[in-house]
Amino acid sequence: MARPSPAPELFVRTAGLTYRLTVPGTNMHTEVVRRSGEIVILALVYYIAARFGLLLAFTPGYAAPIWPAAGIALAAILVRGNRVAPGIWLGSFLANAGVAFDAGSSAVIATSLLLPAGIGVGAMLQAIAGAHLVRRFVGYPTALDRSRDVIRFLGLGGPLSCIVSASVGATVLVLAGKLPADSYAFTWWAWWFGDAIGVQVATPLVLTWCGQPHAIWRRRRKTVAVPICLAFTLIVGVFLGAREPYFSPPHLRIAWAVLAGGLAFTGLLGAFLLVISGHSMLFEQLAAQRTQDLERTRQAEQAALLLADIVTSSDDAIIGKTLDGTIVSWNAGAERMYGYSADEVVGRSISILIPAELAEEIPAVLERLQRGERVEHLETVRVRKDGGRINVSLTTSPIRNAEGMIAGVSAIARDISERKRAEDALRDREARIRRLVDANIIGIFIGDLSGHISEANDAFLKISGYSKEDVLAGIIRWTDMTPPQYDAADEHALEELKTTGRCTPYEKEYIRKDGKLIPVLLASALFEGPQEEGVSFVLDLTERRQADERIHHMAEHDALTGLPNRTLLQDRMHQAIAFAHRHRRRVAVLFIDLDYFKNINDSLGHYIGDQVLKMAAIRLQQCLREGDSVARLGGDEFVLIVPLLDDSSDAARVAGKALDSLSQPFSIEVNQLHLGGSIGISVYPDDGLDVDSLMRAADTAMYHAKEMGRGNFQFFTAALNHAVQQRLDVGQRLRHALAQDEFILHYQPQVNMKSGIIFSAEALLRWQPPGSQPISCGDFIANAEESGLIVPIGEWVLRQACRQLKLWHAAGHPELKMAVNLSPRQLEQVNFCSLLGQILTETGIAATSLELEITESMLMRRSEYNLAMLTRLSDMGIQLSIDDFGTGYSSLAYLQRFPVHSLKIDQSFVRDIGKDQNDTALVTAIIAMAASLHLGVIAEGVETLQQAEFLMAHGCPAAQGFYYSKAVRADAFPDLIGKSFERWMLRQG
């Protein structure tokens, strides 16, 4: 069930106070119950008061000297309205029925009920009439704070309105036969008096508890209610205590007069107290009003002072002027802003502040002011006293006089120069940012999360293929530019945007207007604020992707020939091996090394060498079958991958075809170059199961092909593997020998053939493992060269030979020299000259006592570098000789260019003197050539007297070989120095 809604309330303000009045609601049942309750309560209260009044009534009990119920009834009608009037009638009826009721007969009963009913009607009408008179002539709610209101209230509500009840009551009693006619006047007067006194006493008492305004009536509970109650109690108490015999004949009238006078006094006391309290409250109200007026005056004065302070101290210029523009007031802010003092401008025209070009501004503003309009925030320019100009925001308002006429104008000006500068700076920054965006090489567009694009720079338009007109027309949407395969990436970016305000850059593709796909890198960020709009940055990745592809190609292909490099080769070999494994096939690996390429590269330069490599790559590609691959490992090394269908004959055919192709002349510029190739072949799975093992096997087979005379191909065999393992073993043993000092030097004398005197010794390296015979350097020097150990071994040889020479010099052979073989690897060291100088200094040997033997091939390699190094050695005083001369490719140009001091004729030519006419002629030519070039000559490998005589006969000054002595240990060499080989030769002869 719905609860009944509360009754609406009205708030009425009267005499400065607010009263709350409840308006009847729409719920009639609740209203009837509430009103019935009020009527019953009022009837009960009236009944109690009436019964109390009847206690004071005179015989026969219908008139009392005071009837409080009359005052309660009047107060009830005033407070609750006429709707409670039935309660007055009911209360009066019940009270009087108890007195007049007689059940002797039905006629008597009827009379007993009609009599109190009629009296009740009179009481009810009296209360209604009194309330009407009070509302009409006094007003209600009322505070009764004035004397005339109190008199009117008590007079109208008491003596005047009480005529109704007295008249009705006395008449009803006479008509009912309850009262003799001759007692009518006294009864009427006593009735009227009792009601009048009851109104004067009881009504003020009730209003102090229920009257309105509540605030005022409550304050009278002590000043009005308490004195009336005390006086009333005293008089009633005396009356009740002294009722007999004073209130019986013959003293009845006197006693009643005294009682009536006392009650009248009580009523008058109440009236007096109401007047006094009313005046007191009025005085208090006046005092409070005065206090409020004074407080408002003080606040107004303070506000005026504060306003004056604000005006005076304001940073804004506040100026008062007349309608014609004459300045009448000028605050401190105006002084600071314009530079004029108040004395300088008051009485002058406001035009002194206005630039000449803005003179037309004044009439337009004045016209609006005269219409009573206010001109707000007019941004303009004003002139300072010093001539400087400032930007101001001007608010001008008309000032009206007491009659409402416009009497003047107030103007408030605020200096906005800083703001203008800030705005200008902001516009400048915005222009720069706009320029930055428009001129940026990165695509930038502004759009929302739904896909709409509102702005875009030229870079983005170029990327997307759209135009500015397309953007303005709204036909371009970033959601439409994204291929479906990137929907998941876009969704992830949108979630990140909504969560953090920005998204991590990610790669995707855009569909251009022409339908082409373009790779981009995209990053976005939302603007601050509630709107779902942001900026996106788009980087075109087309060039980067192309560069990545080029880099990827370069990473897997040789830059010179374009062939696959080692990385791609290994990948293809893995694939070929995997395919062969799955299908039980075989794969051949052909390791190709170009023969004599190094000589061409060193003699003709790298440019010619690069052209040879390019042509060789083309020829090798032409040799391939479908499914074969070729790659360049580096230098002059190439690898072919050949899947085999049956046996190794396919690999042999491809190798033969490659050799035939490489043996054809290479025509480059004016050069007709002849090369060749050596090929080693390994086969999966016979020679290895992985890439590394197959490459090692093919490399080993290639070296075997070179050892077999070059220009051929060789298959890998187990024996070759054994040779490789042996070379590795020798290399490891050489490292151990160097660390354990297992190397020694033997020395072979070099003899002056005319005098037979030993003038020099050649230091020859020997390896003597513990418990074994010395091993000649020819058995291990190639391995040392290949492994790089020749560098530390060569340094050891130089230091040991110089130390030994120093010992021989100290033993009495100061003219003796030392010859040491120099490896090309040693000469390639940048610090070799410094190292050699350090050794000479440590051992105390003069540079002129040392001779370094170099090979012809060393002159052909890195000629400029070698020339510089050999020149430095020659400048140090070291002698340089060419070892094994005649076996290489030296020319007279090289001999003239390099600082060579002597030539050593190779023993292969000396061995065939007298046996081979060509060798004999060559030896003769070398001796003659050396003489013409002023170079020394020494013959190697002299083993017979015939050879010695031939050499002497043709002018060869020096020789060495077994004919004189083999290489001996250092402790045996002094014995050789003491011999005279010239005499020994004669004895032999």
Side-chain angles (χ1 to χ4, degrees), residues 8 15 38 64 88 112 122 133 237 284 361 414 497 510 614 760 801 989:
E38 291 178 350
I88 300 172
S112 299
L133 291 173
E284 290 178 2
E361 179 184 285
R414 173 165 294 179
L497 269 175
Y510 271 154
K614 290 179 181 180
S760 180

Side-chain angles (χ1 to χ4, degrees), residues 573-762:
M573 286 186 66
H574 280 298
Q575 295 180 21
I577 291 172
F579 180 83
H581 177 73
R582 285 194 302 270
H583 297 86
R584 299 185 181 277
R585 299 283 183 85
R586 308 172 80 193
V587 178
V589 177
L590 281 64
F591 200 108
I592 305 174
D593 185 86
L594 301 182
D595 296 333
Y596 310 114
F597 174 76
K598 189 172 183 58
N599 294 334
I600 294 175
N601 206 30
D602 290 341
S603 61
L604 299 178
H606 291 291
Y607 173 75
I608 299 298
D610 289 346
Q611 300 305 312
V612 170
L613 291 175
K614 290 179 181 180
M615 294 179 67
I618 295 173
R619 293 184 183 185
L620 291 176
Q621 286 177 302
Q622 294 172 347
C623 297
L624 298 179
R625 307 167 307 166
E626 184 179 358
D628 297 345
S629 297
V630 61
R632 181 190 176 208
L633 292 186
D636 58 348
E637 296 177 338
F638 297 86
V639 173
L640 273 66
I641 304 174
V642 180
L644 302 178
L645 298 178
D646 297 315
D647 53 22
S648 300
S649 60
D650 290 340
R653 283 193 292 272
V654 174
K657 189 175 181 180
L659 290 176
D660 291 342
S661 176
L662 294 175
S663 64
Q664 300 300 317
F666 289 82
S667 299
I668 301 175
E669 295 182 351
V670 297
N671 301 295
Q672 192 80 2
L673 303 176
H674 294 272
L675 293 174
S678 298
I679 301 177
I681 305 173
S682 64
V683 179
Y684 169 87
D686 303 340
D687 303 327
L689 299 177
D690 55 42
V691 173
D692 291 338
S693 60
L694 290 173
M695 289 291 290
R696 284 195 303 269
D699 185 37
T700 300
M702 184 271 295
Y703 276 106
H704 181 58
K706 283 187 176 292
E707 292 173 356
M708 296 297 292
R710 306 188 181 193
N712 65 94
F713 63 87
Q714 297 291 328
F715 282 89
F716 177 79
T717 64
L720 292 179
N721 189 42
H722 176 72
V724 171
Q725 293 298 326
Q726 187 175 13
R727 282 201 301 270
L728 293 175
D729 180 63
V730 171
Q732 293 177 353
R733 291 176 59 197
L734 284 176
R735 294 180 186 277
H736 179 77
L738 182 63
Q740 299 298 321
D741 198 21
E742 295 180 1
F743 293 110
I744 60 174
L745 291 181
H746 284 191
Y747 301 92
Q748 187 175 30
Q750 294 181 344
V751 181
N752 186 307
M753 298 184 69
K754 289 184 179 180
S755 63
I757 298 174
I758 297 174
F759 65 90
S760 180
E762 181 179 5

Side-chain angles (χ1 to χ4, degrees), residues 840-861:
L840 293 174
T841 302
E842 290 176 358
T843 58
I845 296 299
T848 54
S849 298
L850 181 64
E851 181 181 28
L852 297 180
E853 297 182 2
I854 60 177
T855 62
E856 289 181 276
S857 62
M858 191 179 298
L859 301 181
M860 305 291 290
R861 298 168 59 182

Side-chain angles (χ1 to χ4, degrees), residues 222-483:
K222 294 181 180 180
T223 59
V224 176
V226 173
I228 292 176
C229 289
L230 290 176
F232 178 73
T233 303
L234 178 62
I235 294 170
V236 173
V238 172
F239 172 73
L240 293 177
R243 185 163 185 170
E244 294 292 343
Y246 297 103
F247 289 92
S248 61
H251 306 101
L252 176 61
R253 293 187 181 276
I254 297 173
W256 192 92
V258 173
L259 176 60
L263 294 174
F265 171 77
T266 302
L268 294 175
L269 176 63
F272 174 75
L273 292 175
L274 285 174
V275 172
I276 294 301
S277 63
H279 283 292
S280 175
M281 288 186 290
L282 182 59
F283 178 77
E284 290 178 2
Q285 291 178 356
L286 292 175
Q289 185 65 35
R290 181 58 179 166
T291 301
Q292 292 177 358
D293 292 342
L294 292 174
E295 181 64 22
R296 284 195 291 268
T297 302
R298 186 183 65 81
Q299 292 176 354
E301 291 176 351
Q302 290 180 347
L305 292 174
L306 180 60
L307 180 61
D309 291 340
I310 292 174
V311 171
T312 301
S313 61
S314 175
D315 290 334
D316 295 337
I318 303 177
I319 304 170
K321 55 186 179 180
T322 61
L323 287 175
D324 62 358
T326 302
I327 299 173
V328 296
S329 64
W330 187 266
N331 75 332
E335 291 184 3
R336 290 189 295 270
M337 186 179 297
Y338 296 118
Y340 292 99
S341 66
D343 295 337
E344 291 177 308
V345 296
V346 172
R348 299 178 63 183
S349 174
I350 196 68
S351 60
I352 62 173
L353 305 177
I354 302 175
E357 66 273 14
L358 298 179
E360 297 299 327
E361 179 184 285
I362 298 178
V365 173
L366 184 59
E367 181 181 354
R368 294 182 59 183
L369 290 172
Q370 289 174 343
R371 293 199 303 265
E373 298 178 7
R374 180 177 178 176
V375 180
E376 294 185 354
H377 308 303
L378 173 65
E379 294 187 2
T380 183
V381 178
R382 291 293 180 260
V383 180
R384 288 173 46 84
K385 181 180 179 179
D386 57 10
R389 296 193 173 202
I390 57 174
N391 296 99
V392 298
S393 175
L394 186 64
T395 297
T396 307
S397 305
I399 300 176
R400 298 181 182 273
N401 56 21
E403 291 76 23
M405 302 297 293
I406 298 176
V409 177
S410 68
I412 301 176
R414 173 165 294 179
D415 188 351
I416 58 172
S417 300
E418 286 298 328
R419 194 196 77 189
K420 282 292 187 181
R421 282 191 287 269
E423 289 176 352
D424 292 341
L426 179 60
R427 281 192 293 270
D428 182 60
R429 285 195 297 272
E430 289 178 350
R432 292 187 179 189
I433 293 174
R434 173 57 62 183
R435 180 61 178 168
L436 176 64
V437 170
D438 291 342
N440 206 308
I441 61 174
I442 296 177
I444 302 173
F445 72 84
I446 296 174
D448 56 27
L449 297 183
S450 66
H452 174 69
I453 295 177
S454 57
E455 293 185 53
N457 68 344
D458 292 340
F460 177 76
L461 296 176
K462 182 179 179 182
I463 292 173
S464 63
Y466 288 90
S467 64
K468 288 187 178 295
E469 290 73 18
D470 295 333
V471 175
L472 295 176
I475 65 173
I476 174 173
R477 299 177 61 84
W478 61 263
T479 50
D480 297 337
M481 295 174 60
T482 303

Side-chain angles (χ1 to χ4, degrees), residues 818-872:
M818 181 69 71
V820 179
N821 288 281
L822 185 65
S823 168
R825 286 283 190 93
Q826 291 177 273
L827 192 64
E828 290 175 355
Q829 297 180 89
V830 177
N831 63 339
F832 177 73
C833 293
S834 300
L835 175 64
L836 184 57
Q838 180 182 354
I839 292 174
L840 293 174
T841 302
E842 290 176 358
T843 58
I845 296 299
T848 54
S849 298
L850 181 64
E851 181 181 28
L852 297 180
E853 297 182 2
I854 60 177
T855 62
E856 289 181 276
S857 62
M858 191 179 298
L859 301 181
M860 305 291 290
R861 298 168 59 182
R862 301 179 62 189
S863 58
E864 296 298 329
Y865 173 80
N866 289 344
L867 175 60
M869 292 293 291
L870 295 176
T871 301
R872 287 184 62 187

